[in-house]
C-alpha cells in the first residue's frame, strides 16, 4: 500500500500509535498476583494466531493505522516458538519493537532477538531474594532472571527496564534495594501498582502499594527530580502520541531514571495511545475492556485488509474515556492480565 496511514483516532481525540501483542497466554511462572498455582486453562493451539496471522495484523496496523511501536508480551512471550523469526518479520514492517518478559530463557535468546530487530526489553523482577522470588512466582528461577538481564544488556537491548509490582507485606521493603540494584547495573527501574487483573479475582486494594508510598520511600533515599519527557536525555518514544504510562523521576545529579506506573491512583487514560491484541486474535481497546472484537474470525473468514482496518477503527471508536477501577460499578474483565497481555 502506498498511501500514508490514517491515524487511529477515538472520539476523545486520542491517537493510537502503540500496539501490545500477546503471543501466548501460557507461562512458566505462577506469580501470585497474576495467576493461581495450578495455572489456567490455556488456549488450545488452534485458537492462537499463527505467525502469519500476527504479521498480517501488525502490517495492517502499521501501514493503515499508523501504529509506530509494537510491544510483544503474554503470558510469557519467550515461550513462543520461533520468536526471533517472528520479531524479525515484525521489525521489518518498521515499528519500534519491544518485549515484556519474565526473563527466563532470555540469556539464551537475547542476541538472536537483538539481531532480529528487537529494540528494548522489560524484565519483571519483584525481589532480589531467591527465597522470596520462589514464594512470589512459585518457581525457584531467580538466577535465570539475573542471567537474562545481563544478557539483554550485553546484547544492546537498551535501555533494559526492570518491572516490579510491590505488594504490601510481601516485597514492599525492597523498593530501595530494587532501585539500587537497577542503578548499579545500568537498568531502568519501574514500579507498577498492582491492579485488579489477577485470574483469581483476589486483588485487594489494601495490599496495593500506591505511587505516593513508592515515591515517599524513594524520596527518603534520593532526591528525585521529575523527568522532562522532551529532554534529550529522557528519550521520547518514536511516534509516541499519548502519555507514557510511567511517570518518571531522575535521581538528582545522575542520569538514572525511575518510573512508577500508577494505573490505579494516577490513571493516565486521558493520554492513552494503546490498543491490545490477545494471543487468540481479539482486539481490546483497553486493558480493562469488557468487550473485544474478533479479528481472528475475520482473518480466518477471508476478510480483506480494508475490512480488518474497519473493524479495528470501530473498536477504537467504542473506547471509553477511562477505566473505572476507582468507581463502585467497576467490573473486572473476564480475561486476566496474563491472557490479555500486560
Ligand atoms: N510474563 C511476562 C512478565 O511477567 O513480564 C509478560 C506478561 S506480565 C502479565 C506483564 C507485566 O504485568 C509484568 O510486569 C507483571 O509483573 C505485571 N502484572 C501481572 N499481573 C499484574 C497485576 N495484577 N497488577 C499489576 N501488574 C501485573
Ligand atoms: Fe507469568 Fe508474567 Fe503472570 Fe508472572 S506476571 S505469572 S511471569 S504472565
Amino acid at each position: 500500500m502506498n498511501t500514508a496511514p490514517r491515524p487511529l483516532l477515538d472520539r476523545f481525540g486520542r491517537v493510537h500509535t502503540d500496539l501490545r501483542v500477546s503471543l501466548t497466554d501460557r507461562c512458566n511462572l505462577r506469580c501470585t498476583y497474576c495467576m493461581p498455582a495450578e495455572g489456567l486453562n490455556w488456549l488450545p493451539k488452534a485458537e492462537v494466531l499463527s505467525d502469519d496471522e500476527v504479521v498480517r495484523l501488525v502490517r495492517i496496523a502499521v501501514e493503515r493505522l499508523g501504529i509506530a511501536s509494537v510491544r510483544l508480551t503474554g503470558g510469557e512471550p519467550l515461550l513462543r516458538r520461533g520468536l526471533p523469526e517472528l520479531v524479525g518479520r515484525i521489525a521489518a514492517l518498521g515499528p519500534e519493537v519491544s518485549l515484556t518478559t519474565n526473563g527466563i530463557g532470555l540469556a539464551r535468546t537475547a542476541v538472536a532477538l537483538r539481531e532480529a530487530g528487537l529494540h528494548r526489553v522489560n524484565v519483571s523482577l519483584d525481589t532480589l531474594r531467591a527465597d522470596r522470588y520462589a514464594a512470589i512466582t512459585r518457581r525457584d528461577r531467580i538466577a535465570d532472571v539475573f542471567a537474562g538481564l545481563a544478557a539483554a544488556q550485553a546484547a544492546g537491548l537498551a535501555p533494559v527496564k526492570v518491572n516490579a509490582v510491590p505488594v504490601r507485606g510481601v516485597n514492599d521493603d525492597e523498593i530501595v534495594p530494587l532501585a539500587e540494584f537497577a542503578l548499579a547495573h545500568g537498568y531502568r527501574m519501574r514500579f507498577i501498582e498492582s491492579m485488579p487483573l489477577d485470574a483469581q479475582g483476589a486483588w485487594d486494594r489494601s495490599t496495593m502499594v500506591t505511587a505516593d508510598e513508592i515515591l515517599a520511600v524513594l524520596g527518603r533515599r534520593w532526591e528525585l527530580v521529575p523527568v522532562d519527557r522532551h529532554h534529550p536525555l529522557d528519550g521520547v518514544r518514536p511516534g509516541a502520541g499519548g502519555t507514557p504510562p510511567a511517570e518518571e523521576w531522575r535521581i538528582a545529579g545522575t542520569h538514572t531514571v525511575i518510573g512508577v506506573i500508577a494505573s490505579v491512583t494516577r490513571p493516565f487514560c486521558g493520554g492513552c495511545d494503546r490498543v491490545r491484541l490477545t494471543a487468540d486474535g481479539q482486539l481490546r481497546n483497553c486493558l480493562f475492556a469488557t468487550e473485544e472484537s474478533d479479528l481472528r474470525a475475520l482473518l480466518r473468514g477471508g476478510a480483506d485488509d480494508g475490512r480488518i482496518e474497519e473493524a479495528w477503527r470501530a473498536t477504537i471508536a467504542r473506547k471509553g474515556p477511562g477505566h473505572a477501577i476507582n468507581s463502585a460499578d467497576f467490573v473486572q474483565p473476564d480475561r486476566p492480565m496474563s491472557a490479555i497481555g500486560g
Side-chain angles (χ1 to χ4, degrees):
M1 208 177 88
N2 297 320
T3 52
R6 200 154 54 81
L8 187 53
L9 260 171
D10 70 9
R11 64 204 156 100
F12 303 97
R14 293 173 294 195
V15 179
H16 294 72
T17 56
D18 184 36
L19 172 64
R20 311 277 157 128
V21 180
S22 172
L23 294 178
T24 176
D25 61 331
R26 291 169 196 248
C27 194
N28 41 11
L29 298 183
R30 298 285 184 271
C31 303
T32 44
Y33 53 76
C34 184
M35 62 171 80
E38 63 277 16
L40 298 166
N41 289 325
W42 310 125
L43 289 166
K45 194 166 181 292
E47 291 184 16
V48 174
L49 296 184
S50 67
D51 285 4
D52 286 348
E53 288 170 328
V54 170
V55 171
R56 180 167 174 215
L57 290 178
V58 174
R59 180 179 57 69
I60 292 170
V62 171
E63 287 181 355
R64 292 175 172 257
L65 303 164
I67 291 294
S69 56
V70 174
R71 173 167 295 278
L72 303 173
T73 179
E76 178 42 49
L78 291 179
L79 294 181
R80 176 106 180 186
R81 277 203 193 159
L83 183 62
E85 291 71 26
L86 180 56
V87 165
R89 293 177 67 188
I90 291 173
L93 298 168
E96 188 201 46
V97 188
S98 55
L99 179 78
T100 300
T101 171
N102 62 28
I104 293 170
L106 189 56
R108 271 196 316 277
T109 47
V111 169
L113 289 169
R114 180 74 186 111
E115 286 174 354
L118 186 72
H119 293 96
R120 293 184 292 108
V121 70
N122 287 19
V123 178
S124 300
L125 178 66
D126 298 318
T127 173
L128 301 172
R129 292 170 37 178
D131 55 339
R132 197 176 264 183
Y133 185 88
I136 294 172
T137 66
R138 302 186 177 104
R139 300 288 187 272
D140 187 12
R141 304 294 298 267
I142 199 169
D144 300 74
V145 187
F146 290 141
L149 279 165
Q153 190 173 52
L157 291 166
V160 174
K161 293 185 183 170
V162 177
N163 286 355
V165 180
V167 178
R168 199 176 310 287
V170 175
N171 61 343
D172 53 336
D173 55 344
E174 286 193 81
I175 291 171
V176 167
L178 278 163
E180 283 174 332
F181 164 81
L183 207 153
H185 289 85
Y187 309 143
R188 282 201 190 188
M189 191 68 221
R190 291 155 35 115
F191 295 100
I192 305 174
E193 283 182 348
S194 85
M195 294 180 268
L197 283 173
D198 56 314
Q200 311 89 299
W203 182 77
D204 175 357
R205 184 178 286 265
S206 69
T207 64
M208 172 184 66
V209 182
T210 65
D212 284 353
E213 293 175 277
I214 294 165
L215 289 169
V217 171
L218 294 172
R220 284 197 284 279
R221 170 70 176 79
W222 293 288
E223 185 190 338
L224 300 176
V225 184
V227 161
D228 172 3
R229 271 188 84 210
H230 300 288
H231 191 285
L233 283 176
D234 296 334
V236 177
R237 279 182 293 131
T243 312
E247 287 183 76
E248 296 189 315
W249 284 266
R250 185 192 302 286
I251 296 179
T254 75
H255 287 187
T256 301
V257 169
I258 300 181
V260 180
I261 303 182
S263 309
V264 181
T265 66
R266 302 178 180 190
F268 36 85
C269 305
C272 180
D273 64 353
R274 283 166 285 283
V275 54
R276 293 165 196 275
L277 180 67
T278 67
D280 55 343
Q282 308 301 304
L283 193 68
R284 299 175 62 88
N285 58 26
C286 175
L287 198 46
F288 297 93
T290 48
E291 55 162 51
E292 305 178 329
S293 303
D294 191 353
L295 296 190
R296 187 189 62 200
L298 289 176
L299 282 170
R300 295 186 183 175
D304 65 11
D305 289 358
R307 175 75 193 87
I308 292 171
E309 173 185 357
E310 221 172 85
W312 206 305
R313 290 194 188 280
T315 305
I316 295 301
R318 289 194 297 275
K319 181 162 171 157
H323 67 61
I325 301 178
N326 298 309
S327 110
D329 346 307
F330 175 67
V331 181
Q332 182 165 343
D334 291 338
R335 271 187 203 260
M337 180 84 134
S338 59
I340 296 171

